[in-house]
Each structure stands twice: as C-alpha cells, then as structure tokens.
Amino acid sequence: KNNNNLFGTFCEKNFVYNQNNQLTTMTESCYNEDGKNYGNTITCTYVDGLLQKMKHSNTITNDEVGFEERYAYDSSNNCIEIKVYIKNVLESRQSMTYKNALLEEHHFSEKGKEIKSIICKYDSKKNVNMKTINEVGSVATITTVYIYEMEYYK
C-alpha cells in the first residue's frame, strides 16, 4: 500500500507467485480523492522457468487489451529478445547479444526503426569498462561514451 499525497491517490498492490516463487500476477488498485479510480494488472507466463509473456492491462484505457511483452532466450537462458505488442501488432523490440555470458550489445527499436543501441566492453574481471550509447533522434544521432577506470587491490 502506498499514498501519493501530490496527486491525492492511494494504491494497493497484490502479488501472486507460483510454486517456484515466480511472480504470476500483480494487481494494482488505485483510488483518487476525486473518485476516478483505476487499476492495473500484470500477468506473467513461464515455460521451463523462463518468463515468456508479460501481459499488461489497465482500466484507464478500458480497451481490455493493454500490451503484451514476449521474451526469447538463447541456449544459455540469456534473454535475447523482447517484443512488445499492442492488439497483436508489434510496437517495439529489444535485441541483445552476449559474448562469454556478458551482454555485448543491446538494441532498441520502435515500429521497425532503431532508436537506441548500447555496446558494452568488459575488463578481464568481467566488469564493464566502456559503454557506448547511440540514441537516434529525428535530427541527429547522439553518441555518448562512458569509460570506467578501475583499480583492483590484492
């Protein structure tokens, strides 16, 4: 339970887990002081212990559709793809590639067009020592490079 005094709302969340202690359902009921109540529900589906689908619905849009996230994994159980569908139409996609079990690239696209990519480099101790982020805008692509210098003590 939580209160948001700024917006005058009170929300209550309920969580349901399966026998493997994985979240299967989260419901959120919110009540506004002006009487405009709303709720959100997230339902998770697992196959072989891996999240396959996460369906989001809410009573704000009253469309009974919401959106659905679908997950795909490689043979090492690394998440390699997340697709988001609204009314069974692909809206956005994330794809990830791994090298030696470490995330190497993470790409984001909306409606088939790449909007962001993140490329990670690691040191010998498997810590990120460089991260390059490319954000594609309507006018230009902005590239930000983060370099992390670490010292290790014996």
Side-chain angles (χ1 to χ4, degrees), residues 6-142:
L6 178 64
F7 296 107
T9 60
F10 167 78
C11 295
E12 183 175 61
K13 292 183 181 181
N14 294 301
F15 302 90
V16 177
Y17 298 88
N18 64 17
Q19 65 276 8
N20 295 323
N21 207 27
Q22 296 169 314
L23 179 67
T24 57
T25 307
M26 189 281 296
T27 55
E28 177 182 48
S29 300
C30 295
Y31 311 94
N32 293 333
E33 58 188 25
D34 63 2
K36 295 180 181 175
N37 302 330
Y38 63 94
N40 299 301
T41 301
I42 299 173
T43 306
C44 302
T45 305
Y46 299 87
V47 174
D48 296 327
L50 298 173
L51 180 63
Q52 297 297 308
K53 290 183 184 178
M54 186 182 295
K55 184 172 174 108
H56 301 254
S57 59
N58 65 64
T59 58
I60 297 171
T61 57
N62 289 320
D63 60 9
E64 296 301 321
V65 176
F67 65 94
E68 183 175 275
E69 299 174 32
R70 299 179 190 168
Y71 298 80
Y73 301 88
D74 64 15
S75 60
S76 298
N77 294 338
N78 294 307
C79 183
I80 57 171
E81 185 175 67
I82 303 170
K83 291 181 178 179
V84 176
Y85 293 86
I86 298 176
K87 294 184 180 180
N88 290 318
V89 175
L90 181 63
E91 291 292 320
S92 66
R93 179 178 181 264
Q94 297 179 45
S95 64
M96 292 74 84
T97 57
Y98 299 83
K99 184 176 182 180
N100 299 322
L102 299 171
L103 179 64
E104 190 172 48
E105 295 187 23
H106 191 162
H107 297 271
F108 303 79
S109 62
E110 288 183 357
K111 299 187 186 298
K113 183 177 179 181
E114 185 165 279
I115 59 168
K116 184 176 185 178
S117 68
I118 301 172
I119 300 170
C120 298
K121 303 288 182 191
Y122 298 85
D123 66 14
S124 61
K125 296 194 180 287
K126 299 183 179 182
N127 292 304
V128 174
N129 62 3
M130 187 168 82
K131 186 185 292 187
T132 304
I133 301 172
N134 292 304
E135 296 186 75
V136 181
S138 58
V139 177
T141 298
I142 299 169

